[in-house]
Amino acid sequence: MSFVLIVEQILNGLQLGVTLFLMSAGLTLIFGVMGLINLAHGSLYMVGAFAAAAVAGAFGSFILALIAALAAAAIAGAIVEISILRRLYRRDHLDQVLATFALILIFSEGTRWVFGSFPLYLDIPNYLQGPVMLPGGIQYPLYRITLIILGVLVAIFLGLLISKTRIGIKIRAGENDREMIAALGVDISKLYTMVFALGAALAGLAGALVGAIQSVEVGMGEPVLILAFVVIVIGGIGSIKGAMVGSILVGLTDTLGGVFLPKILQLFIDISTATNVGSSIASMAIYILMGAILIWRPTGLYGSRL
Amino acid sequence: MKSLLNVSVGIITAAFLTMGSASADIKVGMITTLSGGGAGLGIDVRDGFMLAIKQSGRSDINVVIEDDQRKPDVAVKLADKMIQSEKVDVLTGIIWSNLAMAVVPSATAQGKFYLSPNAGPSVLAGKGCHENYFNVAWQNDNIHEAAGAYADGAGYKKTFILAPNYPAGKDALVGFKRYFKGQIAGEIYTKLGQTDYAAEIAQIRAAGADSVFFFLPGGMGIAFLKQYSGSGVDLPIVGPAFSFDQGILQAVGEAALGVVNTSQWNKDLDNPTNAAFVKSFKAEYGRLPSLYASQGFDTANLLISAVAKADVNNTDAFRAALKSADFDSTRGDFSFSSNHHPIQSIYAREVIKEGDIYTNKTISVALENHSNFYTQDCKM
């Protein structure tokens, strides 16, 4: 087990963490501010990836593709919020889950209808291709480093937005007491649409960034959605800081668990059983982490105390 | 008035009689994946199958098509419905091994025929084989065995192998190792549906291997290949055709160029049936066929050949007609082994670019007239 491998895996964990953060930040904001469980968040991730693939295919520019992903997901989010979800804020969570689950099916089949059933092509641009040499002789893909930096920048931007700006004040106020801020003359439905579109845009950005190194296909959002829910439960629902810490924790646990558990088990049992048992336990690792954190802090790391 | 009634009764009776005499009509139930992730495979199988039915010009084969959404419970319900209310004679279409395991044993136990256009789990080839179950694609291990044989022949000595942690993934690595005589540099079972392979690629880099074998069907393979090509690890890759079929290659793009993969079919296989199939598929659907489409096409042609020879209600004769495999396969030589799985050659193909389209070129035969490992376990 070399030093280089360990550092590389930690970087991989961080990179998974920041991409999860882009997904979970929107999810946690929407849940925190509007009290809405949005299962269709993964579909917005898919919308972003498909929009990026379509624009990259037509114009060949990755930057344009990212802008298209942000815009398409934000617009799709705003339309869905205004036309459907707005009616669900006062209903209980089961109704919301049912309606947003229906949205997943509509988005998936709609996307298939427009783009067909085969995966689309979206690749990283030439200037981000290939590996770079990091200090200590570590070879690491340039694109993944860019992802980490970009994720951190988005986190800083969101942090400043929430803590320093007027919109941020309204969002925080909305989380605490929505009747009161409506009474103070804030147009609450406009605020909701905006928060939803912001969350959707972040999901779309994540979809486009990740789509370039994975596959752009129908149903790509759902596995990420599950991880994002784990993240916001760990971090505390409604907290951006919680989403950041939760994402990094989940990213590191998932990556390092998958690599090192089988290796550790190999010290005790034979290789093929160790590989089997190790990878099975590794896929449970984040849920074990979630369980442990919930026992210690039932509302998550940064959730409001009951 | 009475005579009129008699006449009409006569007409109706006559109508029933004609229907009765047309009881050679055969009803086929196709359960396949047409929505959700992996729909591309089901659509190709269906299109290949229906193309063959259309070309045969037979109107006595009725095909009912249903979407299993890649869910075993849905597939089981559809199979029950098709057997009990639609009264189908033959079932076909299932893509995934776990769905096949849920449907096939009960369908064959109820006396129905099942023709598999794709999934070939080892259980159904060995202990769980059945006289009414025919696999027209391959036994799951076959393509991976060919990859092992190719890697061995190419002189690789130390290979790193990975596959998802589910039955077909385990079959894959077992199949590869059965024919690869070199050393295994590392063996990883990834999560099913995993899309980030940075951790695995780092392990490959650290393992000191001279080549990589992977079985990651669908989107998993696309993700792996793109990430692998950007990682700076430049060991040669060998894989089964499932990550390099016509539907997927365009999404992988340049990252797949030059990769050797093994398949029982390719569009350049030199036989008249195949040439006609590729041409007519392209004309009908406006895209190149994949190996799944060829399997659907062959499955339908096997069925048509059996329908021409025997009545499906005469079970023994129909089974013998299927068993004789008296049809022109897109793969050239094709026959059934004792456990009703194909005996066929498996080829090594290389990914190339033809104009703007990524596709495969056959480079050599990896395993000639290959049967399967489980024949001796099958008692039928």
Side-chain angles (χ1 to χ4, degrees), chain A:
Chain A
M1 187 67 50
S2 68
F3 167 75
V4 173
L5 183 65
I6 295 175
V7 174
E8 202 178 336
Q9 299 297 17
I10 290 174
L11 283 173
N12 287 334
L14 281 178
Q15 184 260 313
L16 176 62
V18 298
T19 37
L20 277 179
F21 170 72
L22 291 180
M23 272 295 274
S24 45
L27 202 60
T28 201
L29 267 184
I30 291 167
F31 193 92
V33 177
M34 306 171 215
L36 176 83
I37 298 184
N38 181 24
L39 291 186
H41 208 64
S43 301
L44 297 164
Y45 172 89
M46 177 182 72
V47 166
F50 273 85
V55 168
F59 301 104
S61 157
F62 192 67
I63 302 287
L64 265 186
L66 289 186
I67 294 170
L70 278 168
I75 292 169
I79 293 173
V80 164
E81 199 275 338
I82 292 169
S83 59
I84 298 165
L85 299 180
R86 184 167 283 186
R87 287 155 236 289
L88 296 171
Y89 295 140
R90 291 176 186 282
R91 310 284 281 271
D92 65 21
H93 287 323
L94 184 62
D95 291 353
Q96 299 173 351
V97 165
L98 277 176
T100 50
F101 184 71
L103 281 174
I104 294 184
L105 301 178
I106 294 169
F107 269 111
S108 294
E109 291 315 300
T111 313
R112 184 194 322 289
W113 186 57
V114 177
F115 292 98
S117 341
F118 295 101
L120 289 195
Y121 173 75
L122 175 66
D123 205 1
I124 49 184
N126 282 330
Y127 49 86
L128 293 177
Q129 287 278 7
V132 285
M133 226 28 168
L134 297 181
I138 301 158
Q139 234 188 2
Y140 199 70
L142 175 59
Y143 186 75
R144 286 181 187 267
I145 292 181
T146 319
L147 280 188
I148 297 178
I149 296 170
L150 210 60
V152 171
L153 288 179
V154 171
I156 294 172
F157 164 77
L158 274 183
L160 290 177
L161 182 82
I162 301 281
S163 62
K164 304 277 186 224
T165 64
R166 199 161 177 81
I167 298 171
I169 294 173
K170 286 185 192 165
I171 291 176
R172 278 181 291 150
E175 276 183 43
N176 283 328
D177 193 333
R178 65 189 87 159
E179 278 83 17
M180 186 57 87
I181 82 157
L184 288 172
V186 174
D187 184 347
I188 195 92
S189 63
K190 203 195 273 172
L191 178 72
Y192 281 5
T193 311
M194 212 174 59
V195 170
F196 199 89
L198 174 69
L202 289 176
L205 179 67
L209 288 172
V210 171
I213 46 170
Q214 299 181 1
S215 69
V216 179
E217 60 183 339
V218 172
M220 64 188 280
E222 278 64 57
V224 194
L225 181 76
I226 296 171
L227 287 181
F229 269 114
V230 172
V231 165
I232 68 170
V233 168
I234 287 178
I237 288 164
S239 161
I240 291 286
K241 203 205 246 170
M244 188 70 205
V245 175
S247 305
I248 301 296
L249 270 180
V250 168
L252 287 176
T253 311
D254 198 41
T255 309
L256 299 182
V259 178
F260 296 120
L261 269 177
K263 302 245 178 206
I264 293 169
L265 285 174
Q266 273 173 27
L267 301 176
F268 309 106
I269 43 184
D270 74 286
I271 290 184
S272 70
T273 344
T275 320
N276 265 328
V277 176
S279 43
S280 306
I281 299 180
S283 34
M284 292 187 271
I286 56 166
Y287 303 103
I288 297 171
L289 172 77
M290 178 170 80
I293 286 181
L294 286 183
I295 291 170
W296 175 45
R297 291 202 161 170
T299 54
L301 291 175
Y302 294 91
S304 47
R305 299 278 168 272
L306 293 171

Side-chain angles (χ1 to χ4, degrees), chain B residues 70 72 94-105 116 118-122 124 133 135 138-140 166-169 171 215:
Chain B
R70 200 177 177 170
I94 294 177
I95 302 293
W96 313 99
S97 292
N98 53 338
L99 274 67
M101 287 307 300
V103 168
V104 173
S116 177
N118 200 63
S122 47
L124 295 181
Y133 170 79
N135 187 307
W138 19 255
Q139 198 282 313
N140 277 358
Y166 79 123
D171 282 357
F215 164 60

Side-chain angles (χ1 to χ4, degrees), chain B residues 122-150:
Chain B
S122 47
V123 176
L124 295 181
K127 288 199 178 70
C129 69
H130 192 280
E131 54 181 3
N132 284 356
Y133 170 79
F134 288 84
N135 187 307
V136 197
W138 19 255
Q139 198 282 313
N140 277 358
D141 302 9
N142 287 167
I143 310 288
H144 311 294
E145 289 168 345
Y150 171 82

